[in-house]
């Protein structure tokens, strides 16, 4: 393993793009996992706002910096602790880009252009099919492997990218004698949070699909009111669509027993969606309220947030530089 002398703990890396405020999918599928892992003594965790990934799709350069601060503040408000984790912004550690370039020498254009995640983005932004977009998974592999990461807390949608990271690690290990670990995804209970529209996953890019971490009770109620439902009664509980997605949210916020209760009502006397949505909204808000209160405090203290980012970048760079120096030597470059 690179940095063998320095590295005493297994490493964790994850990141979130600064494309909008965090929603329940990001929170349940990723951030809750970050928090769980930062509390384990045997792990060293690094969490970033990944702004270099953010610029692979159209963005506003005037608001990007604030958007990265918003991600960091949401992280801190949700419970990430700079005493336990390295928390920073990806572009402050330029070694990520360097390693991504080295990795790009073992990845074929054909493979990257056939990835479903790439094809989706091409459909969404046909005028923005750039080299940076094609290189997205390679940069992500660099994020992860630069820290010899073992565990990546991330949602199910990131699995294809993790597979690429493992493939690059294997190729590099075989070809250059590096010793990258093969990173595994760490899965939370909310690894796939469905969309409020009834179709697909909760996502920033689909309007009406998400509840944001900072939504108030009234907004949550209004958003849940729009989830498409049915008559509330039938032989079998639907496995897909609005009803299935609502029940998944009940399971995630109110527990398995509450979900069972709702399913039993559906196949017997009938399920009253008004009641179900009202109690679900309360349960979601109860979890979000303390996060929102902490976030308000953080907004009053931008200097503290900047300090977290600067300290985090310094610690991350120390590790990153050491790995990169070793890799450059193995690849045959002058380091
Ligand atoms: P991003 O910014 O799209 O999402 C951040 C995290 O939120 C998770 N997530 C979800 N989980 C469950 N259900 C959902 N509906 C849902 N929506 C989003 C994502 O899986 C992700 O964990 N490529 C990454 C960013 C990245 C990264 C990395 C992640 C860059 N480098 C290195 C891990 C390691 C992305 O676009 O995440």
């Amino acid at each position: 393993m690179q940095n063998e002398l320095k590295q005493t703990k297994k490493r964790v890396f994850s990141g979130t793009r600064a494309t909008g405020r965090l929603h329940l999918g990001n929170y349940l599928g990723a951030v809750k996992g970050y928090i769980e892992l930062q509390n384990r003594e045997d792990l060293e965790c690094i969490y970033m706002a990944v702004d270099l990934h953010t610029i692979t799709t159209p963005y506003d350069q005037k608001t990007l910096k604030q958007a990265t601060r918003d991600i960091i503040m949401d992280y801190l408000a949700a419970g990430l602790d700079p005493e336990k984790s390295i928390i920073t912004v990806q572009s402050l550690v330029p070694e990520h880009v360097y390693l991504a370039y080295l990795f790009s020498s073992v990845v074929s254009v054909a493979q990257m252009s056939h990835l479903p995640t790439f094809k989706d983005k091409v459909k969404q932004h046909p005028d923005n099919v750039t080299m940076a977009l094609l290189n997205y998974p390679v940069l992500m592999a660099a994020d992860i492997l630069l820290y010899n990461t073992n565990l990546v807390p991330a949602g199910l949608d990131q699995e294809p990218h993790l597979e690429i990271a493992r493939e690059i690690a294997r190729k590099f290990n075989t070809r250059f004698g590096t010793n990258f670990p093969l990173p595994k995804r760490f899965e939370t209970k909310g690894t796939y949070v469905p969309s409020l529209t009834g179709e697909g996953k909760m996502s920033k890019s689909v309007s009406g699909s998400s509840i944001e971490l900072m939504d108030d009770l009234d907004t949550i109620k209004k958003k849940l009111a729009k989830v498409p439902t049915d008559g509330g009664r039938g032989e079998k509980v639907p496995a897909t669509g609005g009803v299935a997605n609502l029940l998944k949210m009940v399971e995630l916020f109110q527990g398995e027993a509450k979900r069972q209760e709702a399913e039993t009502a559906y196949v017997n006397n009938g399920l009253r969606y008004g009641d179900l949505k009202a109690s679900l909204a309360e349960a979601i808000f109860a979890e979000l309220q303390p996060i929102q209160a902490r976030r308000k405090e953080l907004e009053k203290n931008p200097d503290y947030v900047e300090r977290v980012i600067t300290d985090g970048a310094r610690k991350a760079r120390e590790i990153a530089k050491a790995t990169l120096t070793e890799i450059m030597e193995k690849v045959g470059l002058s380091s």
Side-chain angles (χ1 to χ4, degrees):
M1 189 173 293
Q2 285 84 26
N3 306 331
E4 213 150 26
L5 295 176
K6 277 192 189 167
Q7 186 172 348
T8 54
K9 293 180 176 188
K10 286 195 165 179
R11 293 233 177 85
V12 174
F13 182 95
S14 200
T16 306
R17 283 172 302 147
T19 43
R21 301 295 297 278
L22 292 192
H23 57 62
L24 292 184
N26 304 131
Y27 174 62
L28 298 171
V31 178
K32 271 192 135 176
Y34 303 177
I35 296 166
E36 189 178 333
L37 297 180
Q38 83 168 351
N39 292 325
R40 274 179 45 183
E41 288 292 325
D42 59 327
L43 301 174
E44 180 176 20
C45 300
I46 303 159
Y47 300 123
M48 295 192 179
V50 289
D51 50 354
L52 293 167
H53 279 102
T54 311
I55 68 171
T56 60
T57 45
Y59 74 102
D60 180 358
Q61 69 268 32
K62 291 193 208 76
T63 53
L64 178 62
K65 189 166 175 190
Q66 185 52 45
T68 62
R69 270 52 186 174
D70 281 333
I71 296 291
I72 300 290
M73 279 194 276
D74 282 349
Y75 276 177
L76 295 170
L80 284 193
D81 179 354
E83 300 290 321
K84 296 180 180 164
S85 298
I86 296 175
I87 301 165
T88 195
V89 175
Q90 183 191 32
S91 59
L92 295 175
V93 191
E95 286 76 10
H96 288 236
V97 186
Y98 203 121
L99 187 59
Y101 180 75
L102 299 184
F103 283 171
S104 73
S105 72
V106 298
V107 177
S108 79
V109 172
Q111 189 189 7
M112 291 299 102
S113 59
H114 286 124
L115 278 180
T117 41
F118 176 73
K119 287 186 178 163
D120 286 349
K121 287 282 183 282
V122 171
K123 258 193 224 143
Q124 269 175 34
H125 308 286
D127 298 331
N128 191 72
V129 186
T130 62
M131 291 299 293
L133 186 65
L134 191 66
N135 210 44
Y136 186 112
V138 180
L139 178 59
M140 183 160 156
D143 295 342
I144 296 168
L145 297 172
L146 189 55
Y147 302 97
N148 289 308
T149 298
N150 307 89
L151 266 185
V152 178
L156 185 63
D157 60 337
Q158 298 303 313
E159 194 54 50
H161 290 152
L162 262 289
E163 190 47 51
I164 302 285
R166 287 189 287 268
E167 200 180 317
I168 291 176
R170 272 188 223 105
K171 275 192 184 162
F172 248 67
N173 290 348
T174 310
R175 177 139 174 220
F176 299 113
T178 51
N179 200 8
F180 288 119
L182 302 182
K184 282 203 197 82
R185 197 168 58 87
F186 175 78
E187 196 162 285
T188 63
K189 271 199 277 180
T191 192
Y192 183 90
V193 178
S195 165
L196 299 185
T197 61
E199 260 176 58
K201 65 166 178 139
M202 188 174 281
S203 143
K204 291 169 196 166
S205 52
V206 178
S207 90
S209 128
S210 67
I211 290 174
E212 292 183 5
L213 221 49
M214 294 303 140
D215 283 347
D216 60 21
L217 181 58
D218 199 41
T219 308
I220 298 171
K221 281 186 176 160
K222 284 191 181 130
K223 286 183 171 177
L224 287 181
K226 289 194 187 141
V227 177
T229 51
D230 56 13
R233 202 168 178 184
E235 275 179 22
K236 236 174 118 194
V237 180
T240 56
V243 174
N245 293 2
L246 262 183
L247 292 176
K248 182 72 192 174
M249 299 288 272
V250 167
E251 179 191 320
L252 290 169
F253 283 95
Q254 299 179 285
E256 184 61 40
K258 194 83 185 165
R259 181 195 174 117
Q260 284 298 332
E261 209 179 281
E263 289 194 351
T264 307
Y266 191 92
V267 293
N268 288 298
N269 304 333
L271 181 58
R272 294 160 61 101
Y273 290 114
D275 295 346
L276 179 133
K277 287 179 174 181
S279 83
L280 175 59
E282 297 284 350
I284 293 173
F285 187 62
E287 182 147 354
L288 300 190
Q289 205 175 14
I291 300 177
Q292 297 179 1
R294 279 198 293 274
R295 166 83 200 210
K296 285 215 176 75
E297 287 306 308
L298 285 163
E299 280 164 18
K300 291 184 205 151
N301 205 346
D303 290 349
Y304 168 73
V305 177
E306 288 311 310
R307 251 194 335 270
V308 169
I309 294 172
T310 314
D311 283 359
R314 185 179 38 77
K315 291 180 198 157
R317 274 203 93 174
E318 230 174 82
I319 306 170
K321 277 183 185 164
T323 315
L324 190 59
T325 306
E326 286 194 35
I327 304 300
M328 285 171 72
E329 272 167 25
K330 291 196 164 142
V331 169
L333 293 164
S334 312
S335 56

